[in-house]
Amino acid sequence: MNTVIKGGLVIDQTGERNADVVVEDGLVVAVGPDLSGDEVLDASGCVVAPGFVDIHAHLRQPGAEEAETIETGSWAAVRGGYSAVVAMPNTNPPIDCAAVVQEVLALGRLAPCDVYTSGAITVGRKGEQLAPMAEMAALGVRLFTDDGRGVQEAGLMRRAMEYAAGLGVVLAQHCEVDSLAAGGHMHEGEWSSRLGIPGVPAEAEELMVMRDIALSRFTGAPIHFQHLSTRGSIAMVRAAREAGVEVTAEAATHHFTLTDEACASYDPVFKVNPPLRPADDRDAVREGLADGAVDAIATDHAPHSPDTKEMPFDQAPPGMLGLETALALALTELNLPLAEVVGLLTWQPAAIAGLEGVHGAPIAPDGPANLCVFDPNETWTVDPDALASRSRNTPYAGRQVRGRVRHTIVGGRPVLVDQEMRP
């Protein structure tokens, strides 16, 4: 059987055109007007784009299956238009060796979207000894990070960069200086003072961004910065790129939609790491996405079981759901052309993770049939109980947003049709 996606506006790296798209046996076989197929997916009034790529998702397996599994997280992904996700390594045990990589990839082969995994930079994510990156790279791992905490020791980070450059992989850094961030639970500023909650200063992020830009320049190794949240960080990345340093950056949806004022409710659903920042920082993230200083939108999808997120603010773990709301938040909050939003969600993150041959590719004959069809004008209200994730910790409950995924095709197979999951 083949499938035809009819009546949509195709947007990819090559531009925009009104066309039908036929997929069969995992490939796009035709793009043009008035095409037919065995199964018809209506795309009237919709955009047909490459499937979205999330390079920063916490799928929690192994070790925290009560919050999420690779299966449930993948269903959340296809509901959000994602054909590929890159799992973060802060699991239990951490993804820091070939055996755990193989376990995650094996589980991923049963998922409705393509699941890739990152690997830890250091053994146990402890920042003391380099992990065996070569054996993980041999299994296809292309992104390495100790996400959840940054590599604190500069000499160790230098050796990691030199090692990564030789392997042809990319290091992704969670930028946070522990000695400045210790004991903090939200952004350090006006609202933390008013609320009596210990804060994390912007400098905790910015000092590590500054250090790793210098190390990237010194070693010649690329560096990717995860979930940047401050004006200073984005300004340094912008300047580094202009100076020829091989640096990329991502922004999480919550950092361009929310501010630290949301913590005034003392609701731990607004606790995240790095923390929500003031409006000036939020606006800087938006500016970075608009002018290219920030390359990709990442979800930092971080599910937590209700019993942990219902603890007091200073005891609750940081993290928010993101996979099912990323597109809508980008369309609702960012004043960007559709093509730029699609790029931030597709081919740009795919290139960072080394997935551009399979995901984010132009929609053309013989190309991979990993596609997303979304209505950019449909409005809907976020309902935690209607989400596919095993957890419910979204900060957007009750929020009206614009833009909704209608169909998701992975490897030529429609896995989401008219917003309904198809096992």
Side-chain angles (χ1 to χ4, degrees):
M1 280 187 67
N2 60 27
T3 301
V4 60
I5 305 166
K6 287 196 68 69
L9 174 66
V10 175
I11 298 180
D12 61 13
Q13 288 172 277
T14 67
E16 304 179 12
R17 64 272 190 202
N18 291 298
D20 301 335
V21 180
V22 180
V23 303
E24 184 175 4
D25 293 331
L27 297 174
V28 174
V29 296
V31 180
D34 302 320
L35 301 178
S36 59
D38 300 313
E39 179 180 22
V40 178
L41 300 184
D42 182 21
S44 302
C46 294
V47 171
V48 182
F52 302 157
V53 177
D54 187 16
I55 55 175
H56 194 145
H58 299 273
L59 301 183
R60 300 304 188 205
Q61 194 173 9
E65 288 83 357
E66 71 281 0
E68 195 78 285
T69 66
I70 289 172
E71 180 185 15
T72 59
S74 296
W75 280 117
V78 299
R79 286 274 299 273
Y82 289 89
S83 60
V85 294
V86 179
M88 291 294 100
N90 55 337
T91 51
N92 184 23
I95 306 172
D96 64 355
C97 64
V100 186
V101 168
Q102 289 170 328
E103 177 184 355
V104 172
L105 294 179
L107 290 166
R109 284 191 283 273
L110 305 174
C113 70
D114 287 349
V115 176
Y116 301 87
T117 186
S118 57
I121 296 173
T122 67
V123 174
R125 299 175 45 256
K126 295 180 179 179
E128 299 170 355
Q129 176 185 351
L130 290 183
M133 287 192 279
E135 67 178 37
M136 291 186 277
L139 295 171
V141 177
R142 290 292 173 267
L143 205 65
F144 289 84
T145 175
D146 277 2
D147 186 52
R149 68 186 305 256
V151 177
Q152 300 298 305
E153 210 280 307
L156 184 64
M157 190 62 188
R158 172 192 174 176
R159 292 196 298 276
M161 285 185 168
E162 292 168 341
Y163 190 15
L167 294 173
V169 299
V170 175
L171 299 187
Q173 183 72 285
H174 173 120
C175 291
E176 188 172 58
V177 176
D178 283 353
S179 60
L180 289 176
H185 300 285
M186 65 174 293
H187 173 75
E188 182 178 310
E190 176 188 353
W191 278 101
S192 66
S193 297
R194 293 169 71 173
L195 299 172
I197 298 174
V200 178
E203 287 74 12
E205 176 176 302
E206 292 167 3
L207 283 174
M208 192 168 284
V209 171
M210 183 187 303
R211 183 200 74 180
D212 284 0
I213 287 172
L215 289 175
S216 178
R217 182 187 299 112
F218 179 51
T219 62
I223 184 70
H224 174 71
F225 292 121
Q226 299 177 294
H227 45 43
L228 291 187
S229 66
T230 78
R231 180 171 291 277
S233 294
I234 291 168
M236 285 187 281
V237 168
R238 186 181 289 113
R241 181 171 288 130
E242 291 172 354
V245 181
E246 196 172 351
V247 55
T248 54
E250 69 187 44
T253 50
H254 43 269
H255 286 131
F256 66 76
T257 58
L258 302 170
T259 69
D260 58 341
E261 185 178 354
C263 298
S265 65
Y266 290 97
D267 187 341
V269 75
F270 296 106
K271 183 178 180 179
V272 68
N273 187 21
L276 301 177
R277 305 288 188 184
D280 182 62
D281 293 306
R282 178 206 59 197
D283 293 345
V285 174
R286 294 178 178 179
E287 292 163 11
L289 289 164
D291 68 17
V294 179
D295 303 87
I297 292 173
T299 70
D300 195 6
H301 179 80
H304 291 287
S305 58
D307 60 322
T308 60
K309 267 299 191 180
E310 291 172 0
M311 298 173 71
F313 198 96
D314 62 344
Q315 298 175 36
M320 305 169 171
L321 300 184
L323 284 165
E324 295 178 65
T325 52
L327 168 71
L329 292 168
L331 293 176
T332 303
E333 299 290 339
L334 299 176
N335 186 24
L336 295 177
L338 270 175
E340 292 186 20
V341 173
V342 171
L344 288 164
L345 290 166
T346 59
W347 58 83
Q348 291 170 209
I352 292 168
L355 305 177
E356 62 269 34
V358 181
H359 295 275
I363 301 173
D366 298 323
N370 295 310
L371 306 169
C372 168
V373 180
F374 66 90
D375 183 340
N377 298 309
E378 180 179 346
T379 58
W380 57 287
T381 301
V382 179
D383 177 3
D385 292 330
L387 299 178
S389 173
R390 180 165 283 187
S391 296
R392 295 290 175 264
N393 55 304
T394 174
Y396 305 107
R399 186 165 179 158
Q400 188 174 78
V401 291
R402 177 177 58 85
R404 197 166 199 180
V405 175
R406 189 166 178 183
H407 315 298
T408 305
I409 296 90
V410 180
R413 184 171 74 92
V415 291
L416 186 80
V417 176
D418 289 322
Q419 299 176 0
E420 295 294 327
M421 297 182 289
R422 182 182 286 184

